[in-house]
Amino acid sequence: MSTYSTIRYETGPDRVATITLDRPQAMNAFDRQMCEEIRDVWQRVKLDPAVNAVVLRAAGDRAFSAGLDVKKAFGQPDDVWNHEDPGEMLSPKWQKCWKPVVCAVQGICTAGAFYFLNEADVVICSSEATFFDSHVTHGRVCAVEPIGLMRRIGLGETLRIALMGNDERVSAETALRIGLVTEVVERAQLWDRAHEIAAGIARHPSTATQGTVRAIWESLDRPYRAAMEQSLIYTRLGNAAGMAEAEAAAKAAAAAADATGTPAPRPAWKLR
C-alpha cells in the first residue's frame, strides 16, 4: 500500500492493483493534486510487472465523483496555450497504460467523473448509482466528457445527457440498458464484484490483455479498414510472447500441483 493524499493505492498477490478516490468529504471531486497523483499512479501501474489489472473505485457512499472540484482553483498556467485538460492526467490511455481497468461506480457520478468511465475497459455500478452531467445547468459548455462518452453509448443518449443537465438522472437500470455499464449489483457487493472481474482478467497473460486493450481502443481513432490492417500488427507482435507467457504459467501450475499432490486448478467461468 502506497501513501497519497487524495487517493489510496494497493496491490495484491493476485496481480490486481486497486485505486480508490479518497476525497469523500468533497464527493471525490478531483483537484490538481488528485489529478497529479492519479497520473503518477498510472505510471506505476504501467511499469509494475506484478500488476495485470486495475480496479478503480471511490470512498464513501454518497458519490463516486462529482467531477472537477469547482470550489478551488485548478491552477492552470498563465499562458492559455499551456492549459491542460484534467482528463489527460486522469486517463490511463492518455498515459499509455494499457492494463485493463475495471471501474466500480456508486452514488452520484456527474460531469468530469465521466472521464473515469470513458477511459475504463469494464464499468459496473451499484443499484442506487445515478449518472448525469451538470455542465449546462451551470452555464458551462458540455464538450470534452461527452465526446468520450459518445464512443461508449452513442450520439442520441450522449446528447440527452449533455443537454438536460441536472434535470434528468440516469438510473443504474437505464445505464445498463444503454451500455454505460455492463453490470449492476447491490452496493455491498460492488467492490468485491469489481475485484472478482479484475482478478479474472489478471489471471490471463498480461501481454495478451494489454495488446487486446490497445488494439481495440486505438481502432476507435481509425477508419474500419485501417483499423483491421493495424490489428494484424498487434497479433504478430503480441501472440508469440503471450502464448509463451500462458505456457509458462501452465507449467508452473502443473509443477506446483505435482509438488503438493493436488489437481491443477481449472479455469473459472461464469454465465451472465
Side-chain angles (χ1 to χ4, degrees):
M1 185 171 181
S2 298
T3 301
Y4 291 98
S5 297
T6 66
I7 63 174
R8 300 197 306 268
Y9 179 65
E10 304 163 80
T11 58
D14 56 3
R15 296 183 174 272
V16 174
T18 302
I19 301 170
T20 306
L21 309 182
D22 197 22
R23 298 186 73 218
Q25 74 285 356
M27 297 178 67
N28 294 311
F30 51 81
D31 56 6
R32 175 167 283 278
Q33 184 172 2
M34 179 184 278
C35 289
E36 291 176 350
E37 289 182 355
I38 292 177
R39 177 174 59 186
D40 179 80
V41 90
W42 287 132
Q43 293 301 314
R44 296 184 67 167
V45 167
K46 175 181 177 179
L47 299 174
D48 189 347
V51 172
N52 285 5
V54 181
V55 171
L56 176 62
R57 65 190 194 184
D61 289 322
R62 186 181 178 195
F64 170 74
S65 175
L68 178 67
D69 189 344
V70 297
K71 294 183 179 180
K72 57 195 303 187
F74 184 71
Q76 294 284 15
D78 292 336
D79 188 338
V80 67
W81 299 112
N82 290 332
H83 284 196
E84 296 177 290
D85 174 11
E88 295 183 27
M89 291 185 273
L90 301 175
S91 163
K93 276 65 181 181
W94 270 101
Q95 300 304 317
K96 299 188 183 301
C97 176
W98 304 109
K99 294 182 179 178
V101 178
V102 179
C103 185
V105 179
Q106 84 286 349
I108 291 172
C109 179
T110 183
F114 282 105
Y115 282 127
F116 297 114
L117 276 62
N118 291 347
E119 297 284 340
D121 303 297
V122 178
V123 183
I124 69 172
C125 74
S126 59
S127 55
E128 93 296 345
T130 57
F131 305 83
F132 62 102
D133 197 317
S134 57
H135 278 90
V136 297
T137 297
H138 301 291
R140 297 173 181 267
V141 174
C142 188
V144 183
E145 296 90 343
I147 290 172
L149 183 64
M150 187 164 57
R151 303 200 299 184
R152 186 175 291 275
I153 64 174
L155 177 62
E157 296 290 354
T158 298
L159 281 167
R160 179 166 177 152
I161 291 171
L163 294 174
M164 293 196 71
N166 283 346
D167 295 335
E168 182 176 73
R169 305 294 172 98
V170 174
S171 67
E173 180 181 348
T174 299
L176 181 63
R177 175 178 60 80
I178 66 178
L180 182 56
V181 304
T182 60
E183 188 174 346
V184 178
V185 299
E186 293 304 313
R187 175 67 181 95
Q189 303 168 347
L190 180 65
W191 285 7
D192 287 344
R193 179 59 181 143
H195 194 99
E196 180 183 21
I197 294 170
I201 294 170
R203 284 194 292 268
H204 303 308
S206 187
T207 302
T209 57
Q210 288 189 74
T212 299
V213 167
R214 184 168 184 174
I216 292 172
W217 279 92
E218 290 190 347
S219 75
L220 300 176
D221 300 324
R222 290 168 172 77
Y224 176 73
R225 288 298 173 193
M228 292 295 287
E229 290 179 3
Q230 179 169 296
S231 70
L232 293 175
I233 298 174
Y234 288 107
T235 60
R236 290 166 183 159
L237 284 173
N239 282 3
M243 292 169 69
E245 191 176 338
E247 184 178 356
K251 288 180 178 178
D258 289 342
T260 60
T262 58
R266 296 176 62 84
W269 57 271
K270 180 177 181 178
L271 288 174
R272 94 173 159 90

